[in-house]
Amino acid sequence: MAASATGSGPLTLQRVGILGLGAYVPPKKLTNSDLEKMVDTSDEWIRQRTGIQERRILEKSESCSDLAIRAAQAALADARCDPLELDLIIVGTVTGDYPFPSTATLVQAALGAWNAAAFDLSAACPGFIYAASVGTQFIASRRYRRVLAIGAEALTKILDFTDRSTCVIFGDAAGAALLAPFEECRRGEILDVDLYSRGGQPELLYLPGGGSKNPTSAETVGKNMHYLRMSGRDVYRVAVETMGDMVRKAIQKYGKDEVALVVPHQMNRRIIESVIDRLNLDPARVMVNIEQYGNTSAASVPVAFREAVDRGLAVPGKIVLLCAVGAGFTWGSITLRW
Ligand code: UT7
């Protein structure tokens, strides 16, 4: 039973940690040479401009919840946690199964997590960072003890495979973290959560149709408004600026030597390299797996984090920085002590 945060007396904040991590990518690969046969592009251009070699793609019959459920199951298995212990499930996604109900409720049912509340959160690429930040507050305030934060995206379902400027970049995946009181965790105390938004230019990266602004009609379908649209160069500029700021802030606070691992959103290898160059970071401390999966939006950070931990890149006692930026614009970071 969750403890109440609203009793009498001052609230002492609960320290929060990571009890389990999970990731899932669908088995089907879409390589650059596959894309060469679909659209006017080349393996060379994609590798040079983005660092991507291949990405994973869902089958026609599958959807976002299929990814989210598997990542959730992996995180629960990692934590040896029974789904009935879950208090809250938050899915950060912009490609949920339906506009409503939430994908989180689909995950709840598949897991049998009947004691959990469940909702989705729309924060584009930092969706996992936002979800984990919200979950952290619920545990810190002693309202809940087990929160599953998931980043899951079925981006290939909203790609226009005749638009070479977007279809080569994105892929499908999901990642999850089970948050719990730090005393029950072996690792990963959450030290800082920092969230930012700068609205005003939605058209730089958006899905124009299907919402209340442009409800689905024959016209919106005819005008290809149900596919992702992006002004890549503008997003690139904002990404370099904001990712650099978040890493700089962590270095200033904890010291460069203490920051043993940076897990940036995998959006473009050149963006990550530019942050490495500008801040003179050791590339061995910056997780990169974009070559295998492309940009998986909200799934990118938790998938890369899971892989970084498996590779032994997270150093016990040292700082891990997770950071991401995306549509909105929204950006944010989580700082952990591993
Ligand atoms: O998670 C947030 C989501 N968004 C992002 O991650 C996007 C961030 N932006 C980027 O990663 C880069 O801006 C892109 C990879 C999208 C584009 O790279 P770029 O170096 O900024 O290319 P560009 O848009 O300036 O285009 C350069 C040229 C253009 O041709 P011209 O006009 O110079 O003749 C494009 O038409 O490259 C062309 N081009 C391509 N050529 C071959 C664009 N896409 C392709 C392609 N294959 N797939």
Side-chain angles (χ1 to χ4, degrees), residues 39-42 45-46 49-50 125 164-166 168-170 205 230-233 235-236 239 265 267-268 270-271 295 297 325-327:
V39 68
D40 180 17
T41 190
S42 67
W45 190 96
I46 301 170
R49 298 289 184 122
T50 71
C125 300
R164 68 179 184 176
S165 71
T166 53
V168 303
I169 293 168
F170 298 99
L205 178 51
M230 177 173 74
S231 171
R233 281 187 202 182
V235 178
Y236 192 102
H265 174 32
M267 54 200 308
N268 183 321
R270 286 189 296 141
I271 293 174
N295 178 339
S297 185
V325 53

PDB file of all heavy atoms in Angstrom, residues 39-42 45-46 49-50 125 164-166 168-170 205 230-233 235-236 239 265 267-268 270-271 295 297 325-327, ligand 1:
ATOM      1  N   VAL A  39      14.026   4.953 -51.781  1.00  0.00           N
ATOM      2  CA  VAL A  39      14.016   6.408 -51.876  1.00  0.00           C
ATOM      3  C   VAL A  39      15.385   6.855 -52.399  1.00  0.00           C
ATOM      4  O   VAL A  39      16.350   6.086 -52.340  1.00  0.00           O
ATOM      5  CB  VAL A  39      13.686   6.994 -50.467  1.00  0.00           C
ATOM      6  CG1 VAL A  39      14.794   6.750 -49.476  1.00  0.00           C
ATOM      7  CG2 VAL A  39      13.271   8.425 -50.499  1.00  0.00           C
ATOM      8  N   ASP A  40      15.457   8.104 -52.919  1.00  0.00           N
ATOM      9  CA  ASP A  40      16.706   8.588 -53.516  1.00  0.00           C
ATOM     10  C   ASP A  40      17.708   8.956 -52.419  1.00  0.00           C
ATOM     11  O   ASP A  40      17.810  10.113 -52.003  1.00  0.00           O
ATOM     12  CB  ASP A  40      16.396   9.813 -54.397  1.00  0.00           C
ATOM     13  CG  ASP A  40      17.655  10.363 -55.042  1.00  0.00           C
ATOM     14  OD1 ASP A  40      18.679   9.639 -55.079  1.00  0.00           O
ATOM     15  OD2 ASP A  40      17.623  11.532 -55.482  1.00  0.00           O
ATOM     16  N   THR A  41      18.433   7.950 -51.919  1.00  0.00           N
ATOM     17  CA  THR A  41      19.436   8.187 -50.878  1.00  0.00           C
ATOM     18  C   THR A  41      20.574   7.203 -51.085  1.00  0.00           C
ATOM     19  O   THR A  41      20.550   6.396 -52.011  1.00  0.00           O
ATOM     20  CB  THR A  41      18.808   8.019 -49.474  1.00  0.00           C
ATOM     21  OG1 THR A  41      19.726   8.488 -48.499  1.00  0.00           O
ATOM     22  CG2 THR A  41      18.442   6.572 -49.157  1.00  0.00           C
ATOM     23  N   SER A  42      21.588   7.297 -50.226  1.00  0.00           N
ATOM     24  CA  SER A  42      22.694   6.342 -50.334  1.00  0.00           C
ATOM     25  C   SER A  42      23.189   5.984 -48.943  1.00  0.00           C
ATOM     26  O   SER A  42      23.091   6.784 -48.009  1.00  0.00           O
ATOM     27  CB  SER A  42      23.838   6.948 -51.144  1.00  0.00           C
ATOM     28  OG  SER A  42      24.406   8.030 -50.418  1.00  0.00           O
ATOM     29  N   TRP A  45      25.627   8.646 -47.769  1.00  0.00           N
ATOM     30  CA  TRP A  45      25.042   9.887 -47.245  1.00  0.00           C
ATOM     31  C   TRP A  45      24.521   9.652 -45.825  1.00  0.00           C
ATOM     32  O   TRP A  45      24.806  10.439 -44.923  1.00  0.00           O
ATOM     33  CB  TRP A  45      23.899  10.377 -48.142  1.00  0.00           C
ATOM     34  CG  TRP A  45      23.437  11.771 -47.790  1.00  0.00           C
ATOM     35  CD1 TRP A  45      23.832  12.929 -48.385  1.00  0.00           C
ATOM     36  CD2 TRP A  45      22.523  12.149 -46.743  1.00  0.00           C
ATOM     37  NE1 TRP A  45      23.224  14.015 -47.776  1.00  0.00           N
ATOM     38  CE2 TRP A  45      22.420  13.562 -46.763  1.00  0.00           C
ATOM     39  CE3 TRP A  45      21.790  11.457 -45.786  1.00  0.00           C
ATOM     40  CZ2 TRP A  45      21.610  14.281 -45.879  1.00  0.00           C
ATOM     41  CZ3 TRP A  45      20.993  12.169 -44.890  1.00  0.00           C
ATOM     42  CH2 TRP A  45      20.906  13.569 -44.950  1.00  0.00           C
ATOM     43  N   ILE A  46      23.798   8.569 -45.629  1.00  0.00           N
ATOM     44  CA  ILE A  46      23.186   8.348 -44.312  1.00  0.00           C
ATOM     45  C   ILE A  46      24.273   8.156 -43.255  1.00  0.00           C
ATOM     46  O   ILE A  46      24.212   8.746 -42.173  1.00  0.00           O
ATOM     47  CB  ILE A  46      22.225   7.134 -44.337  1.00  0.00           C
ATOM     48  CG1 ILE A  46      21.120   7.335 -45.368  1.00  0.00           C
ATOM     49  CG2 ILE A  46      21.595   6.924 -42.960  1.00  0.00           C
ATOM     50  CD1 ILE A  46      20.262   6.096 -45.632  1.00  0.00           C
ATOM     51  N   ARG A  49      26.165  11.656 -42.741  1.00  0.00           N
ATOM     52  CA  ARG A  49      25.381  12.761 -42.164  1.00  0.00           C
ATOM     53  C   ARG A  49      24.715  12.418 -40.838  1.00  0.00           C
ATOM     54  O   ARG A  49      24.316  13.317 -40.112  1.00  0.00           O
ATOM     55  CB  ARG A  49      24.283  13.190 -43.143  1.00  0.00           C
ATOM     56  CG  ARG A  49      24.790  13.718 -44.461  1.00  0.00           C
ATOM     57  CD  ARG A  49      25.436  15.087 -44.267  1.00  0.00           C
ATOM     58  NE  ARG A  49      25.851  15.640 -45.542  1.00  0.00           N
ATOM     59  CZ  ARG A  49      25.425  16.800 -46.021  1.00  0.00           C
ATOM     60  NH1 ARG A  49      24.588  17.532 -45.330  1.00  0.00           N
ATOM     61  NH2 ARG A  49      25.854  17.219 -47.182  1.00  0.00           N
ATOM     62  N   THR A  50      24.550  11.101 -40.552  1.00  0.00           N
ATOM     63  CA  THR A  50      23.823  10.742 -39.324  1.00  0.00           C
ATOM     64  C   THR A  50      24.536   9.695 -38.467  1.00  0.00           C
ATOM     65  O   THR A  50      24.243   9.589 -37.282  1.00  0.00           O
ATOM     66  CB  THR A  50      22.428  10.159 -39.649  1.00  0.00           C
ATOM     67  OG1 THR A  50      22.591   8.856 -40.220  1.00  0.00           O
ATOM     68  CG2 THR A  50      21.643  11.032 -40.603  1.00  0.00           C
ATOM     69  N   CYS A 125      10.968  13.391 -27.874  1.00  0.00           N
ATOM     70  CA  CYS A 125      12.194  12.601 -27.629  1.00  0.00           C
ATOM     71  C   CYS A 125      12.600  12.524 -26.161  1.00  0.00           C
ATOM     72  O   CYS A 125      13.114  11.500 -25.724  1.00  0.00           O
ATOM     73  CB  CYS A 125      13.337  13.107 -28.493  1.00  0.00           C
ATOM     74  SG  CYS A 125      12.944  12.995 -30.239  1.00  0.00           S
ATOM     75  N   ARG A 164      12.985  11.420 -48.147  1.00  0.00           N
ATOM     76  CA  ARG A 164      14.310  10.964 -47.723  1.00  0.00           C
ATOM     77  C   ARG A 164      14.861  11.759 -46.542  1.00  0.00           C
ATOM     78  O   ARG A 164      15.781  11.297 -45.863  1.00  0.00           O
ATOM     79  CB  ARG A 164      15.288  11.028 -48.895  1.00  0.00           C
ATOM     80  CG  ARG A 164      15.616  12.442 -49.356  1.00  0.00           C
ATOM     81  CD  ARG A 164      16.593  12.442 -50.503  1.00  0.00           C
ATOM     82  NE  ARG A 164      16.961  13.803 -50.877  1.00  0.00           N
ATOM     83  CZ  ARG A 164      17.848  14.090 -51.782  1.00  0.00           C
ATOM     84  NH1 ARG A 164      18.461  13.116 -52.457  1.00  0.00           N
ATOM     85  NH2 ARG A 164      18.141  15.341 -52.060  1.00  0.00           N
ATOM     86  N   SER A 165      14.329  12.972 -46.315  1.00  0.00           N
ATOM     87  CA  SER A 165      14.888  13.785 -45.238  1.00  0.00           C
ATOM     88  C   SER A 165      14.433  13.310 -43.852  1.00  0.00           C
ATOM     89  O   SER A 165      14.991  13.725 -42.842  1.00  0.00           O
ATOM     90  CB  SER A 165      14.534  15.259 -45.429  1.00  0.00           C
ATOM     91  OG  SER A 165      13.164  15.473 -45.174  1.00  0.00           O
ATOM     92  N   THR A 166      13.423  12.447 -43.800  1.00  0.00           N
ATOM     93  CA  THR A 166      12.986  11.921 -42.495  1.00  0.00           C
ATOM     94  C   THR A 166      13.046  10.387 -42.403  1.00  0.00           C
ATOM     95  O   THR A 166      13.380   9.853 -41.347  1.00  0.00           O
ATOM     96  CB  THR A 166      11.532  12.353 -42.178  1.00  0.00           C
ATOM     97  OG1 THR A 166      10.698  11.981 -43.273  1.00  0.00           O
ATOM     98  CG2 THR A 166      11.429  13.853 -41.943  1.00  0.00           C
ATOM     99  N   VAL A 168      14.984   8.101 -43.295  1.00  0.00           N
ATOM    100  CA  VAL A 168      16.236   7.376 -43.044  1.00  0.00           C
ATOM    101  C   VAL A 168      16.670   7.475 -41.581  1.00  0.00           C
ATOM    102  O   VAL A 168      17.604   6.795 -41.146  1.00  0.00           O
ATOM    103  CB  VAL A 168      17.378   7.904 -43.946  1.00  0.00           C
ATOM    104  CG1 VAL A 168      16.989   7.801 -45.416  1.00  0.00           C
ATOM    105  CG2 VAL A 168      17.777   9.335 -43.599  1.00  0.00           C
ATOM    106  N   ILE A 169      16.026   8.340 -40.821  1.00  0.00           N
ATOM    107  CA  ILE A 169      16.550   8.702 -39.503  1.00  0.00           C
ATOM    108  C   ILE A 169      15.974   7.859 -38.363  1.00  0.00           C
ATOM    109  O   ILE A 169      16.679   7.519 -37.421  1.00  0.00           O
ATOM    110  CB  ILE A 169      16.262  10.199 -39.233  1.00  0.00           C
ATOM    111  CG1 ILE A 169      17.096  11.032 -40.199  1.00  0.00           C
ATOM    112  CG2 ILE A 169      16.588  10.586 -37.792  1.00  0.00           C
ATOM    113  CD1 ILE A 169      16.693  12.477 -40.238  1.00  0.00           C
ATOM    114  N   PHE A 170      14.682   7.544 -38.451  1.00  0.00           N
ATOM    115  CA  PHE A 170      13.991   7.036 -37.255  1.00  0.00           C
ATOM    116  C   PHE A 170      13.809   5.520 -37.251  1.00  0.00           C
ATOM    117  O   PHE A 170      13.777   4.884 -38.303  1.00  0.00           O
ATOM    118  CB  PHE A 170      12.620   7.713 -37.135  1.00  0.00           C
ATOM    119  CG  PHE A 170      12.719   9.210 -36.974  1.00  0.00           C
ATOM    120  CD1 PHE A 170      12.550  10.058 -38.052  1.00  0.00           C
ATOM    121  CD2 PHE A 170      13.006   9.763 -35.736  1.00  0.00           C
ATOM    122  CE1 PHE A 170      12.646  11.444 -37.912  1.00  0.00           C
ATOM    123  CE2 PHE A 170      13.111  11.140 -35.577  1.00  0.00           C
ATOM    124  CZ  PHE A 170      12.922  11.982 -36.672  1.00  0.00           C
ATOM    125  N   LEU A 205       9.046  20.379 -36.070  1.00  0.00           N
ATOM    126  CA  LEU A 205       9.048  18.915 -35.933  1.00  0.00           C
ATOM    127  C   LEU A 205       7.689  18.520 -35.388  1.00  0.00           C
ATOM    128  O   LEU A 205       7.401  18.748 -34.208  1.00  0.00           O
ATOM    129  CB  LEU A 205      10.178  18.483 -34.971  1.00  0.00           C
ATOM    130  CG  LEU A 205      10.307  16.982 -34.672  1.00  0.00           C
ATOM    131  CD1 LEU A 205      10.349  16.153 -35.942  1.00  0.00           C
ATOM    132  CD2 LEU A 205      11.561  16.724 -33.845  1.00  0.00           C
ATOM    133  N   MET A 230       9.636  17.465 -40.565  1.00  0.00           N
ATOM    134  CA  MET A 230      10.748  18.006 -39.770  1.00  0.00           C
ATOM    135  C   MET A 230      11.595  18.965 -40.592  1.00  0.00           C
ATOM    136  O   MET A 230      11.875  18.719 -41.763  1.00  0.00           O
ATOM    137  CB  MET A 230      11.626  16.844 -39.287  1.00  0.00           C
ATOM    138  CG  MET A 230      12.850  17.277 -38.519  1.00  0.00           C
ATOM    139  SD  MET A 230      13.736  15.878 -37.809  1.00  0.00           S
ATOM    140  CE  MET A 230      14.501  15.196 -39.294  1.00  0.00           C
ATOM    141  N   SER A 231      12.009  20.034 -39.936  1.00  0.00           N
ATOM    142  CA  SER A 231      13.014  20.916 -40.515  1.00  0.00           C
ATOM    143  C   SER A 231      14.339  20.547 -39.849  1.00  0.00           C
ATOM    144  O   SER A 231      14.693  21.053 -38.779  1.00  0.00           O
ATOM    145  CB  SER A 231      12.634  22.373 -40.225  1.00  0.00           C
ATOM    146  OG  SER A 231      13.692  23.201 -40.594  1.00  0.00           O
ATOM    147  N   GLY A 232      15.040  19.610 -40.481  1.00  0.00           N
ATOM    148  CA  GLY A 232      16.199  18.965 -39.852  1.00  0.00           C
ATOM    149  C   GLY A 232      17.249  19.942 -39.364  1.00  0.00           C
ATOM    150  O   GLY A 232      17.767  19.809 -38.251  1.00  0.00           O
ATOM    151  N   ARG A 233      17.568  20.954 -40.189  1.00  0.00           N
ATOM    152  CA  ARG A 233      18.658  21.870 -39.806  1.00  0.00           C
ATOM    153  C   ARG A 233      18.312  22.671 -38.562  1.00  0.00           C
ATOM    154  O   ARG A 233      19.163  22.920 -37.720  1.00  0.00           O
ATOM    155  CB  ARG A 233      18.950  22.846 -40.941  1.00  0.00           C
ATOM    156  CG  ARG A 233      19.777  22.219 -42.025  1.00  0.00           C
ATOM    157  CD  ARG A 233      20.178  23.273 -43.034  1.00  0.00           C
ATOM    158  NE  ARG A 233      20.493  22.634 -44.296  1.00  0.00           N
ATOM    159  CZ  ARG A 233      20.907  23.282 -45.358  1.00  0.00           C
ATOM    160  NH1 ARG A 233      21.019  24.596 -45.331  1.00  0.00           N
ATOM    161  NH2 ARG A 233      21.191  22.627 -46.464  1.00  0.00           N
ATOM    162  N   VAL A 235      16.226  21.773 -36.144  1.00  0.00           N
ATOM    163  CA  VAL A 235      16.262  20.869 -34.990  1.00  0.00           C
ATOM    164  C   VAL A 235      17.720  20.602 -34.597  1.00  0.00           C
ATOM    165  O   VAL A 235      18.075  20.579 -33.414  1.00  0.00           O
ATOM    166  CB  VAL A 235      15.538  19.538 -35.311  1.00  0.00           C
ATOM    167  CG1 VAL A 235      15.621  18.570 -34.141  1.00  0.00           C
ATOM    168  CG2 VAL A 235      14.078  19.798 -35.670  1.00  0.00           C
ATOM    169  N   TYR A 236      18.554  20.442 -35.593  1.00  0.00           N
ATOM    170  CA  TYR A 236      19.982  20.192 -35.367  1.00  0.00           C
ATOM    171  C   TYR A 236      20.603  21.292 -34.506  1.00  0.00           C
ATOM    172  O   TYR A 236      21.302  21.047 -33.525  1.00  0.00           O
ATOM    173  CB  TYR A 236      20.672  20.129 -36.731  1.00  0.00           C
ATOM    174  CG  TYR A 236      22.078  19.605 -36.718  1.00  0.00           C
ATOM    175  CD1 TYR A 236      22.361  18.304 -37.109  1.00  0.00           C
ATOM    176  CD2 TYR A 236      23.146  20.415 -36.338  1.00  0.00           C
ATOM    177  CE1 TYR A 236      23.655  17.815 -37.109  1.00  0.00           C
ATOM    178  CE2 TYR A 236      24.438  19.943 -36.334  1.00  0.00           C
ATOM    179  CZ  TYR A 236      24.682  18.642 -36.722  1.00  0.00           C
ATOM    180  OH  TYR A 236      25.964  18.167 -36.709  1.00  0.00           O
ATOM    181  N   ALA A 239      19.388  21.233 -30.979  1.00  0.00           N
ATOM    182  CA  ALA A 239      19.925  20.049 -30.294  1.00  0.00           C
ATOM    183  C   ALA A 239      21.359  20.284 -29.831  1.00  0.00           C
ATOM    184  O   ALA A 239      21.706  19.979 -28.683  1.00  0.00           O
ATOM    185  CB  ALA A 239      19.861  18.839 -31.219  1.00  0.00           C
ATOM    186  N   HIS A 265      20.548  11.476 -26.027  1.00  0.00           N
ATOM    187  CA  HIS A 265      19.576  11.045 -27.034  1.00  0.00           C
ATOM    188  C   HIS A 265      20.325  10.772 -28.337  1.00  0.00           C
ATOM    189  O   HIS A 265      21.129  11.584 -28.789  1.00  0.00           O
ATOM    190  CB  HIS A 265      18.548  12.164 -27.213  1.00  0.00           C
ATOM    191  CG  HIS A 265      17.573  11.936 -28.322  1.00  0.00           C
ATOM    192  ND1 HIS A 265      17.146  10.674 -28.695  1.00  0.00           N
ATOM    193  CD2 HIS A 265      16.929  12.816 -29.140  1.00  0.00           C
ATOM    194  CE1 HIS A 265      16.285  10.800 -29.706  1.00  0.00           C
ATOM    195  NE2 HIS A 265      16.147  12.075 -29.984  1.00  0.00           N
ATOM    196  N   MET A 267      20.260  11.026 -31.680  1.00  0.00           N
ATOM    197  CA  MET A 267      19.529  11.665 -32.786  1.00  0.00           C
ATOM    198  C   MET A 267      20.369  11.791 -34.033  1.00  0.00           C
ATOM    199  O   MET A 267      19.843  11.693 -35.139  1.00  0.00           O
ATOM    200  CB  MET A 267      18.961  13.013 -32.342  1.00  0.00           C
ATOM    201  CG  MET A 267      19.936  13.971 -31.756  1.00  0.00           C
ATOM    202  SD  MET A 267      19.124  15.245 -30.776  1.00  0.00           S
ATOM    203  CE  MET A 267      17.887  15.878 -31.889  1.00  0.00           C
ATOM    204  N   ASN A 268      21.636  12.036 -33.868  1.00  0.00           N
ATOM    205  CA  ASN A 268      22.527  12.157 -35.018  1.00  0.00           C
ATOM    206  C   ASN A 268      23.939  12.079 -34.443  1.00  0.00           C
ATOM    207  O   ASN A 268      24.265  12.802 -33.503  1.00  0.00           O
ATOM    208  CB  ASN A 268      22.288  13.505 -35.716  1.00  0.00           C
ATOM    209  CG  ASN A 268      23.130  13.664 -36.962  1.00  0.00           C
ATOM    210  OD1 ASN A 268      24.290  13.265 -36.988  1.00  0.00           O
ATOM    211  ND2 ASN A 268      22.547  14.244 -37.990  1.00  0.00           N
ATOM    212  N   ARG A 270      26.600  13.195 -35.498  1.00  0.00           N
ATOM    213  CA  ARG A 270      27.330  14.478 -35.593  1.00  0.00           C
ATOM    214  C   ARG A 270      26.944  15.421 -34.455  1.00  0.00           C
ATOM    215  O   ARG A 270      27.777  16.203 -33.996  1.00  0.00           O
ATOM    216  CB  ARG A 270      27.051  15.156 -36.944  1.00  0.00           C
ATOM    217  CG  ARG A 270      27.772  14.477 -38.108  1.00  0.00           C
ATOM    218  CD  ARG A 270      27.651  15.310 -39.362  1.00  0.00           C
ATOM    219  NE  ARG A 270      26.282  15.416 -39.806  1.00  0.00           N
ATOM    220  CZ  ARG A 270      25.720  16.506 -40.308  1.00  0.00           C
ATOM    221  NH1 ARG A 270      26.411  17.619 -40.443  1.00  0.00           N
ATOM    222  NH2 ARG A 270      24.461  16.485 -40.695  1.00  0.00           N
ATOM    223  N   ILE A 271      25.689  15.366 -34.015  1.00  0.00           N
ATOM    224  CA  ILE A 271      25.273  16.214 -32.893  1.00  0.00           C
ATOM    225  C   ILE A 271      26.026  15.780 -31.631  1.00  0.00           C
ATOM    226  O   ILE A 271      26.571  16.607 -30.883  1.00  0.00           O
ATOM    227  CB  ILE A 271      23.738  16.123 -32.678  1.00  0.00           C
ATOM    228  CG1 ILE A 271      23.015  16.743 -33.870  1.00  0.00           C
ATOM    229  CG2 ILE A 271      23.328  16.805 -31.357  1.00  0.00           C
ATOM    230  CD1 ILE A 271      21.491  16.583 -33.849  1.00  0.00           C
ATOM    231  N   ASN A 295      17.369   6.918 -34.727  1.00  0.00           N
ATOM    232  CA  ASN A 295      16.765   7.774 -33.704  1.00  0.00           C
ATOM    233  C   ASN A 295      15.421   7.153 -33.309  1.00  0.00           C
ATOM    234  O   ASN A 295      14.496   7.100 -34.118  1.00  0.00           O
ATOM    235  CB  ASN A 295      16.582   9.179 -34.291  1.00  0.00           C
ATOM    236  CG  ASN A 295      15.919  10.151 -33.326  1.00  0.00           C
ATOM    237  OD1 ASN A 295      15.255   9.745 -32.386  1.00  0.00           O
ATOM    238  ND2 ASN A 295      16.097  11.435 -33.585  1.00  0.00           N
ATOM    239  N   SER A 297      13.543   8.253 -30.715  1.00  0.00           N
ATOM    240  CA  SER A 297      12.803   9.242 -29.937  1.00  0.00           C
ATOM    241  C   SER A 297      12.800   8.885 -28.442  1.00  0.00           C
ATOM    242  O   SER A 297      13.855   8.700 -27.856  1.00  0.00           O
ATOM    243  CB  SER A 297      11.398   9.406 -30.524  1.00  0.00           C
ATOM    244  OG  SER A 297      10.704  10.440 -29.864  1.00  0.00           O
ATOM    245  N   VAL A 325      16.616  15.896 -26.215  1.00  0.00           N
ATOM    246  CA  VAL A 325      15.900  17.073 -26.723  1.00  0.00           C
ATOM    247  C   VAL A 325      15.041  16.628 -27.899  1.00  0.00           C
ATOM    248  O   VAL A 325      15.395  15.702 -28.617  1.00  0.00           O
ATOM    249  CB  VAL A 325      16.894  18.185 -27.145  1.00  0.00           C
ATOM    250  CG1 VAL A 325      17.934  17.671 -28.111  1.00  0.00           C
ATOM    251  CG2 VAL A 325      16.160  19.386 -27.744  1.00  0.00           C
ATOM    252  N   GLY A 326      13.902  17.292 -28.069  1.00  0.00           N
ATOM    253  CA  GLY A 326      13.052  16.924 -29.197  1.00  0.00           C
ATOM    254  C   GLY A 326      11.959  17.935 -29.460  1.00  0.00           C
ATOM    255  O   GLY A 326      12.045  19.095 -29.022  1.00  0.00           O
ATOM    256  N   ALA A 327      10.924  17.460 -30.141  1.00  0.00           N
ATOM    257  CA  ALA A 327       9.864  18.334 -30.647  1.00  0.00           C
ATOM    258  C   ALA A 327       9.250  19.175 -29.539  1.00  0.00           C
ATOM    259  O   ALA A 327       9.145  18.754 -28.400  1.00  0.00           O
ATOM    260  CB  ALA A 327       8.790  17.484 -31.325  1.00  0.00           C
TER     261      ALA A 327
HETATM  262  O1  UT7 B   1      15.059  13.566 -32.137  1.00  0.00           O
HETATM  263  C1  UT7 B   1      14.810  14.761 -32.778  1.00  0.00           C
HETATM  264  C2  UT7 B   1      14.524  14.438 -34.209  1.00  0.00           C
HETATM  265  N1  UT7 B   1      15.262  15.173 -35.164  1.00  0.00           N
HETATM  266  C3  UT7 B   1      16.561  14.983 -35.479  1.00  0.00           C
HETATM  267  O2  UT7 B   1      17.252  14.221 -34.881  1.00  0.00           O
HETATM  268  C4  UT7 B   1      17.085  15.743 -36.662  1.00  0.00           C
HETATM  269  C5  UT7 B   1      18.279  16.610 -36.437  1.00  0.00           C
HETATM  270  N2  UT7 B   1      18.798  16.977 -37.744  1.00  0.00           N
HETATM  271  C6  UT7 B   1      19.609  16.156 -38.444  1.00  0.00           C
HETATM  272  O3  UT7 B   1      19.977  15.111 -37.966  1.00  0.00           O
HETATM  273  C7  UT7 B   1      20.093  16.614 -39.807  1.00  0.00           C
HETATM  274  O4  UT7 B   1      19.684  17.934 -40.043  1.00  0.00           O
HETATM  275  C8  UT7 B   1      19.574  15.695 -40.954  1.00  0.00           C
HETATM  276  C9  UT7 B   1      20.265  14.331 -40.880  1.00  0.00           C
HETATM  277  C10 UT7 B   1      18.078  15.535 -40.878  1.00  0.00           C
HETATM  278  C11 UT7 B   1      19.913  16.291 -42.296  1.00  0.00           C
HETATM  279  O5  UT7 B   1      21.321  16.482 -42.404  1.00  0.00           O
HETATM  280  P1  UT7 B   1      21.887  17.877 -42.905  1.00  0.00           P
HETATM  281  O6  UT7 B   1      23.342  17.745 -42.961  1.00  0.00           O
HETATM  282  O7  UT7 B   1      21.315  18.928 -41.994  1.00  0.00           O
HETATM  283  O8  UT7 B   1      21.304  17.952 -44.356  1.00  0.00           O
HETATM  284  P2  UT7 B   1      20.401  19.090 -45.018  1.00  0.00           P
HETATM  285  O9  UT7 B   1      18.990  18.965 -44.552  1.00  0.00           O
HETATM  286  O10 UT7 B   1      21.090  20.391 -44.882  1.00  0.00           O
HETATM  287  O11 UT7 B   1      20.438  18.649 -46.538  1.00  0.00           O
HETATM  288  C12 UT7 B   1      21.674  18.624 -47.279  1.00  0.00           C
HETATM  289  C13 UT7 B   1      21.412  17.963 -48.608  1.00  0.00           C
HETATM  290  C14 UT7 B   1      20.171  18.491 -49.298  1.00  0.00           C
HETATM  291  O12 UT7 B   1      20.451  18.531 -50.680  1.00  0.00           O
HETATM  292  P3  UT7 B   1      20.856  19.906 -51.430  1.00  0.00           P
HETATM  293  O13 UT7 B   1      19.696  20.832 -51.196  1.00  0.00           O
HETATM  294  O14 UT7 B   1      22.113  20.372 -50.716  1.00  0.00           O
HETATM  295  O15 UT7 B   1      21.053  19.499 -52.826  1.00  0.00           O
HETATM  296  C15 UT7 B   1      19.152  17.436 -49.042  1.00  0.00           C
HETATM  297  O16 UT7 B   1      18.158  17.391 -50.052  1.00  0.00           O
HETATM  298  O17 UT7 B   1      21.195  16.568 -48.427  1.00  0.00           O
HETATM  299  C16 UT7 B   1      19.982  16.191 -49.073  1.00  0.00           C
HETATM  300  N3  UT7 B   1      19.394  15.072 -48.342  1.00  0.00           N
HETATM  301  C17 UT7 B   1      19.676  13.801 -48.626  1.00  0.00           C
HETATM  302  N4  UT7 B   1      20.455  13.237 -49.563  1.00  0.00           N
HETATM  303  C18 UT7 B   1      20.531  11.907 -49.566  1.00  0.00           C
HETATM  304  C19 UT7 B   1      18.544  15.119 -47.309  1.00  0.00           C
HETATM  305  N5  UT7 B   1      18.254  13.870 -46.898  1.00  0.00           N
HETATM  306  C20 UT7 B   1      18.942  13.033 -47.715  1.00  0.00           C
HETATM  307  C21 UT7 B   1      19.061  11.636 -47.786  1.00  0.00           C
HETATM  308  N6  UT7 B   1      19.875  11.114 -48.740  1.00  0.00           N
HETATM  309  N7  UT7 B   1      18.427  10.794 -46.956  1.00  0.00           N
END
